[in-house]
Amino acid sequence: VQNPRIGYFHALRSLTLLHDGKPHEALSAIIQARSLLPQITRFIGTHAEALHATGNSDEALALMEDSVRNHPDDPDALRLFGQFLGLLGRHEEGTLMAEKAVQLRPGPMTRLFLGRQYVVSGQYKKAIFELKEASRPAPDRLQCHIWLAAAWSLSDDMKKARADIAEVHRLNPDYSLECFRRDCYNAYPPEDRNRIMDALERAGLK
């Protein structure tokens, strides 16, 4: 019997390969991971991203739809489906999935994801509320400050945007636009990613 840790290794390797622009190798790695740990919901999201990156978007969408159909009350399944819909540019539907995930599990991670969805879909006031709620139990969560900076910048409140970028630099002086690009490379269409990166650059992230 293989060690389950090998499954996590393959899943992490798949994400790295996706970020490095090697989708076919990433797909092979995540299939190996899921064969070892089929019960891990978040691996399905990576599997869908890899399928999409290899040009199999219909198969990827069917995979995510099956996951939600089989686990309708699983906030992770809903969140991952929402993320994949966002990757397809279907932000209204993706946001609906994220809202349902928060209803089921109103914790910092589901709120962080919902806040991100609100930023991408242009609902900045709602985004700021959710991101503040997400950061309440963990004020030093870097991703909350990054997305708050984007929301403030896109709302033309540059003073608050720069304040959140200052927090990002305090938490990680080496964090850059390239780090953000790499972090969300497979999460959003290029036009959305570039719009957010422009907002962060205006706020002072280099």
Side-chain angles (χ1 to χ4, degrees), residues 172-187:
N172 182 353
D174 296 326
Y175 195 86
S176 65
L177 279 172
E178 176 59 25
C179 294
F180 178 84
R181 186 200 66 79
R182 184 178 177 87
D183 287 346
C184 70
Y185 183 77
N186 298 298

Side-chain angles (χ1 to χ4, degrees):
V1 178
Q2 288 188 308
N3 190 325
R5 292 182 181 179
I6 297 174
Y8 287 103
F9 167 78
H10 285 304
L12 181 60
R13 181 168 171 266
S14 179
L15 287 172
T16 301
L17 289 165
L18 279 171
H19 291 159
D20 289 344
K22 299 177 180 178
H24 292 281
E25 293 175 55
L27 181 58
S28 177
I30 195 61
I31 289 172
Q32 286 181 283
R34 291 195 64 207
S35 70
L36 293 167
L37 294 168
Q39 75 278 15
I40 305 298
T41 304
R42 66 178 179 271
F43 290 0
I44 300 174
T46 306
H47 192 173
E49 288 179 19
L51 284 168
H52 175 71
T54 55
N56 296 292
S57 297
D58 289 344
E59 185 179 349
L61 182 60
L63 179 68
M64 295 307 305
E65 288 174 339
D66 284 345
S67 176
V68 171
R69 190 178 300 113
N70 293 330
H71 307 283
D73 297 323
D74 183 341
D76 290 328
L78 292 168
R79 177 181 58 80
L80 291 167
F81 188 32
Q83 180 171 319
F84 185 72
L85 289 169
L87 179 59
L88 298 179
R90 294 165 58 175
H91 299 309
E92 185 175 347
E93 297 165 271
T95 299
L96 180 61
M97 292 297 107
E99 289 172 341
K100 288 182 178 179
V102 169
Q103 291 169 8
L104 290 166
R105 185 196 295 155
M109 295 311 296
T110 51
R111 287 190 180 278
L112 171 59
F113 179 70
L114 177 56
R116 289 169 50 175
Q117 289 294 105
Y118 281 144
V119 171
V120 175
S121 62
Q123 301 179 70
Y124 306 128
K125 187 174 181 179
K126 288 183 177 181
I128 289 163
F129 174 81
E130 291 297 339
L131 292 165
K132 284 184 174 181
E133 288 297 305
S135 68
R136 196 179 301 278
D140 286 345
R141 193 183 299 278
L142 185 145
Q143 286 296 315
C144 288
H145 291 292
I146 280 288
W147 285 92
L148 274 168
W152 289 123
S153 179
L154 289 163
S155 302
D156 294 322
D157 192 332
M158 301 312 299
K159 183 177 180 179
K160 290 179 179 177
R162 292 188 185 101
D164 272 299
I165 290 299
E167 284 298 296
V168 170
H169 287 150
R170 179 183 67 82
L171 294 167
N172 182 353
D174 296 326
Y175 195 86
S176 65
L177 279 172
E178 176 59 25
C179 294
F180 178 84
R181 186 200 66 79
R182 184 178 177 87
D183 287 346
C184 70
Y185 183 77
N186 298 298
Y188 303 105
E191 59 272 20
D192 291 319
R193 185 173 67 245
N194 292 339
R195 176 168 53 89
I196 296 165
M197 289 179 67
D198 287 345
L200 290 172
E201 188 171 20
R202 290 197 303 273
L205 190 67
K206 304 299 182 184

